[in-house]
Amino acid sequence: MPALELDDGSYLSEITAICEYLEEKTPKPPMIGSTPEQRAECRMWTRRVDLNICEPLANGYRFGEALKFFQNRIPCAPEASPGLKKIAADRIRWLDGQMAGKQFLCGTRFTLADMLLYCWIDFATRSGSRWMPPTPTSPHGLRASASGPR
């Protein structure tokens, strides 16, 4: 689990909370947004990516390839692994449709939502998780996120 130790010795965990904290401490360049509208759009896409792609990918991996590591640590449902990966693959296809005409999830802005998506797709691909990666023609896929802001 990601954690950030703060100056007072306390810890902050959860990716979105850490990134929002860092953005408030150092707002330039913005990874969430500079206006209420930009921040809302980024939070919307971050939540969609997290719930629809990252969660199914993570649990599909935990209950599949990493079952031996997790089975005595958390409740696991190995029979759910293929279905969870199928959900993630379906949501990637849905996301590709949503990306039509856009460079990044929030249009021309490279944001926390893109970073989250890229990291999870990269992890799933590198970990040997058997799932359907983005299509080569994906307007987002790994290429757009890996290249960062243009």
Side-chain angles (χ1 to χ4, degrees), residues 98-120:
Q98 297 295 306
M99 292 291 303
K102 293 164 66 173
Q103 184 178 8
F104 300 108
L105 289 167
C106 294
T108 59
R109 295 183 304 118
F110 184 72
T111 66
L112 170 61
D114 298 287
M115 293 175 221
L116 182 67
L117 179 62
Y118 172 77
C119 289
W120 276 98

Side-chain angles (χ1 to χ4, degrees), residues 34-52:
S34 301
T35 67
E37 293 80 11
Q38 286 181 346
R39 288 189 294 274
E41 180 185 34
C42 178
R43 288 178 178 129
M44 174 188 75
W45 281 111
T46 299
R47 186 74 173 143
R48 287 177 174 177
V49 165
D50 199 22
L51 287 176
N52 292 304

